[in-house]
């Protein structure tokens, strides 16, 4: 039986003294993946640290509504820095609203929750939502920000059937904690039995809410099997099937790559292309990834995003190639931390680096990214594809809306200011006049211009 614990606070002091043993017991019980959410900045950092140390552990970064009163203006920026610079971060969480304990002002909770959701949309990663007696407000905020970019789970679900229906209608997943196994939880089990199998996840919420067979003890990921057994009784299918379905769901929502597929690097002519991500801040109507998983025979649909170490090992000697090209089935600057680490390796070893991008790196990182790429990146290819903000918004559907276009122009300028060679590209289908205008924008900003043809990649 392979299992995924999608919510487990291994970053809490409760696990300080025996974490290795806890993880070993989890592995011996078939737990292949564990997601560790952060509830504040130090806890999020610890989650990222654990994800770097244990192969089966992934991190989520977030700030719990209980801490909303203490949040500073820089905290969401810090979460952004963690996601863009870090590795194996699969969600923004634990975030949400809590009107039960009300440890923080409700208005500040709403602001924090909304800010964290906006960040998740920008980063194109899911959210892990805590909702305690705040169903109406949670729905209102989720609905106001609903888009293709927003996916997530309501964890430790405690709402009724109506709330469940609304959450499922938004495309969200649901998970229940160990309390569902308690003798007095028949109402909760009734609600759980309404969840379609393709929307259910398993979680322990360790160290809390231990399932009935171990009730009274500290919870840990090895106990997730008791949840699978409880659902097996509820749905009348085997615990193995529950484990398989929920693991597949977790894989799909958090992109954990239980199946580990997708090509990290591939050669076109004499350049080596590095496939960093398939997340993107745009939804271009012409995007190749909407048509096929393959480019030039390579499966680019990554299950798990590669880390810097893996990429460096794929590159080997960079002088064996004309260029190392950061690309992706998505937007590479979503992983600027990895770009900087790998590019530093390539430059130290005599190679050349090119970045292909949608030009939204400043908006994504919240910084002047070209300043940080100076000396690391030789060439940048920026897709413009539109002569003005409105057309850009229509063709590329950026999560940043019309603000994206000006940011792309600024990115071109900033790259030039840092001495980076810039090529602005445009697809032929936008029409002759639009192509002319894009060429002019490129030339006015000291960049070269290249017309590209739809369906020709590389
Ligand atoms: S910017 Fe590139 S990867 Fe992103 S949606 Fe557009 S074509 Fe696809």
């Amino acid at each position: 039986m392979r299992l995924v614990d999608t919510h487990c606070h291994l970053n809490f002091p409760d696990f300080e003294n025996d974490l290795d043993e806890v993880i070993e017991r989890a592995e011996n019980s078939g737990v292949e993946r564990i997601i560790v959410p952060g509830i504040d900045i130090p806890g999020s950092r610890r989650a990222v640290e654990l994800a770097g140390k244990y192969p089966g552990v992934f991190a989520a970064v977030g700030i719990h509504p209980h801490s909303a009163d203490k949040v500073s203006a820089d905290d969401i920026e810090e979460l952004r820095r963690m996601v863009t610079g870090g590795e194996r971060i699969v969600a923004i969480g634990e975030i949400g609203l809590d009107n039960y304990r009300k440890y923080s002002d409700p208005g500040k909770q709403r602001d924090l929750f909304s800010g964290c959701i906006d960040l998740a949309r920008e980063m194109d990663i899911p959210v892990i939502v805590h909702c305690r007696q705040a169903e109406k407000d949670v729905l209102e905020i989720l609905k106001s920000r609903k888009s293709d970019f927003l996916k997530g789970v309501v964890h430790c679900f405690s709402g009724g059937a109506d709330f469940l229906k609304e959450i499922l209608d938004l495309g969200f997943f649901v998970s229940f904690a160990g309390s569902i196994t308690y003798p007095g939880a028949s109402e909760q089990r009734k609600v759980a039995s309404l969840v379609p199998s393709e929307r259910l996840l398993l979680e322990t919420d360790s160290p809390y809410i231990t399932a009935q067979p171990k009730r009274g003890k500290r919870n840990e990921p090895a106990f997730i099997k008791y949840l699978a057994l409880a659902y097996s009784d509820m749905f009348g299918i085997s615990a193995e099937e529950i484990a398989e379905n929920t693991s597949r769901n977790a894989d799909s929502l958090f992109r954990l790559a239980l199946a580990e597929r997708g090509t990290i690097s591939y050669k076109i002519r004499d350049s080596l292309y590095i496939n960093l991500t398939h997340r993107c801040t745009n939804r271009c109507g012409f995007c190749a990834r909407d048509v096929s998983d393959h480019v030039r025979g390579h499966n680019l649909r990554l299950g798990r995003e590669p880390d810097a170490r893996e990429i460096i090992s794929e590159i080997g000697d960079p002088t064996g190639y004309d260029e190392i090209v950061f690309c992706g089935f998505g937007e590479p600057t979503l992983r600027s931390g990895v770009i900087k680490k790998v590019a530093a390796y390539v430059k130290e070893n005599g190679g050349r680096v090119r970045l292909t991008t949608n030009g939204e790196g400043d908006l994504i990182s919240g910084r002047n990214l070209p300043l940080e790429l100076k000396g690391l990146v030789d060439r940048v290819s920026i897709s413009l594809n539109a002569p003005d903000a409105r057309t850009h918004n229509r063709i590329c559907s950026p999560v940043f809306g019309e603000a994206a276009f000006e940011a792309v122009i600024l990115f071109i300028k900033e790259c030039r200011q840092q001495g980076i060679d810039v090529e602005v590209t445009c697809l032929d289908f936008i029409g002759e006049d639009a192509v002319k205008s894009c060429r002019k924008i490129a030339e006015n900003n000291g960049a070269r211009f290249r017309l590209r043809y739809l369906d020709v990649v590389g």
Side-chain angles (χ1 to χ4, degrees):
M1 184 153 66
R2 63 170 197 158
L3 295 148
V4 178
D5 185 351
T6 60
H7 200 103
C8 175
H9 296 284
L10 293 179
N11 46 351
F12 279 14
D14 309 66
F15 295 105
E16 223 166 59
N17 298 324
D18 63 345
L19 188 53
D20 287 346
E21 290 87 342
V22 167
I23 288 182
E24 197 181 331
R25 280 196 292 274
E27 285 168 359
N28 292 338
S29 303
V31 181
E32 292 191 0
R33 299 285 192 265
I34 300 170
I35 296 176
V36 179
I39 58 163
D40 53 21
I41 297 295
S44 297
R45 285 200 192 107
R46 176 73 178 144
V48 176
E49 193 186 316
L50 295 179
K53 183 171 176 195
Y54 296 98
V57 172
F58 292 80
V61 296
I63 304 172
H64 195 279
H66 287 341
S67 300
D69 279 352
K70 291 176 243 147
V71 168
S72 77
D74 191 48
D75 284 346
I76 291 194
E77 279 314 302
E78 180 56 22
L79 294 179
R80 184 199 305 276
R81 282 193 283 274
M82 282 189 220
V83 179
T84 51
E87 296 178 7
R88 298 164 67 82
I89 299 172
V90 296
I92 299 291
E94 174 176 353
I95 59 171
L97 301 177
D98 192 315
N99 289 339
Y100 175 64
R101 298 202 190 275
K102 277 198 186 152
Y103 287 155
S104 280
D105 172 71
K108 288 189 178 152
Q109 289 190 39
R110 289 174 65 94
D111 290 348
L112 173 63
F113 186 38
S114 305
C116 287
I117 288 177
D118 288 344
L119 177 62
R121 290 172 70 224
E122 269 174 52
M123 297 289 138
D124 193 12
I125 55 175
V127 287
I128 299 173
V129 177
H130 167 107
C131 174
R132 197 87 193 271
Q133 292 187 3
E135 287 81 2
K136 190 170 154 282
D137 291 347
V138 162
L139 277 175
E140 192 185 306
I141 292 175
L142 290 180
K143 282 180 184 171
S144 72
R145 284 166 162 77
K146 180 65 192 145
S147 73
D148 286 352
F149 293 91
L150 184 59
K151 297 182 178 66
V153 55
V154 175
H155 102 98
C156 198
F157 193 89
S158 59
D162 292 346
F163 181 52
L164 176 69
K165 183 178 179 313
E166 298 248 32
I167 283 298
L168 294 173
D169 286 349
L170 285 171
F172 269 57
F173 289 74
V174 173
S175 63
F176 295 80
S179 51
I180 203 158
T181 62
Y182 296 169
S186 55
E187 278 308 308
Q188 221 186 348
R189 281 192 287 276
K190 251 189 236 164
V191 175
S193 68
L194 302 172
V195 181
S197 64
E198 67 276 12
R199 295 291 190 82
L200 185 68
L201 301 178
L202 296 185
E203 67 160 298
T204 59
D205 203 10
S206 302
Y208 309 121
I209 324 178
T210 311
Q212 186 67 23
K214 298 285 179 183
R215 201 169 171 178
K217 291 189 168 184
R218 177 195 66 177
N219 204 357
E220 61 175 71
F223 299 162
I224 194 102
K225 60 186 173 206
Y226 299 117
L227 273 293
L229 289 166
Y231 288 120
S232 162
D233 286 345
M234 247 181 266
F235 291 114
I237 57 175
S238 70
E240 283 72 18
E241 277 175 279
I242 296 286
E244 195 56 39
N245 288 345
T246 52
S247 297
R248 202 180 315 114
N249 294 344
D251 192 10
S252 135
L253 177 63
F254 297 110
R255 301 161 178 144
L256 303 177
L258 294 169
E260 303 285 356
R261 63 197 183 104
T263 304
I264 298 177
S265 69
Y266 54 99
K267 218 176 140 198
I268 297 183
R269 292 179 288 277
D270 290 324
S271 298
L272 186 70
Y273 283 69
I274 307 297
N275 181 22
L276 276 180
T277 182
H278 60 234
R279 293 181 287 134
C280 189
T281 47
N282 283 357
R283 284 289 182 278
C284 303
F286 51 82
C287 184
R289 64 201 181 136
D290 294 335
V291 179
S292 164
D293 285 354
H294 291 78
V295 168
R296 300 213 176 187
H298 303 286
N299 175 9
L300 297 191
R301 184 70 60 180
L302 288 169
R304 179 176 61 76
E305 293 181 338
D307 62 28
R309 202 173 15 97
E310 290 167 290
I311 297 168
I312 288 169
S313 124
E314 293 251 332
I315 294 172
D317 176 5
T319 60
Y321 307 97
D322 283 354
E323 284 179 320
I324 304 300
V325 185
F326 291 106
C327 61
F329 227 18
E331 172 49 35
T333 60
L334 279 164
R335 308 202 64 214
S336 58
V338 175
I339 291 177
K340 285 189 278 179
K341 277 185 211 160
V342 178
Y345 163 83
V346 173
K347 297 307 291 176
E348 273 160 25
N349 290 279
R352 288 183 57 76
V353 174
R354 174 157 68 98
L355 167 68
T356 66
T357 173
N358 64 17
E360 293 165 19
D362 284 4
L363 287 175
I364 291 168
S365 65
R367 304 186 299 272
N368 177 340
L369 192 59
L371 189 62
E372 298 173 15
L373 299 179
K374 183 180 183 178
L376 297 176
V377 171
D378 302 286
R379 280 212 295 155
V380 176
S381 300
I382 301 172
S383 321
L384 185 58
N385 292 325
D388 56 68
R390 199 193 291 178
T391 316
H392 184 261
N393 199 32
R394 181 171 51 76
I395 295 180
C396 302
S397 303
V399 68
F400 307 107
E402 291 195 6
F405 182 76
E406 283 308 320
V408 176
I409 306 295
L410 181 64
F411 196 83
I412 297 170
K413 286 188 183 134
E414 287 170 347
C415 284
R416 292 300 301 127
Q417 281 161 6
Q418 301 311 323
I420 299 170
D421 181 26
V422 179
E423 173 187 72
V424 169
T425 68
C426 218
L427 280 165
D428 56 342
F429 77 90
I430 64 169
E432 220 172 291
D433 288 346
V435 167
K436 264 189 208 152
S437 303
C438 289
R439 182 188 293 276
K440 210 164 174 189
I441 290 172
E443 288 167 359
N444 288 346
N445 287 288
R448 290 177 292 106
F449 179 80
R450 179 162 69 100
L451 186 63
R452 291 181 51 221
Y453 300 93
L454 199 58
D455 299 331
V456 179
V457 183

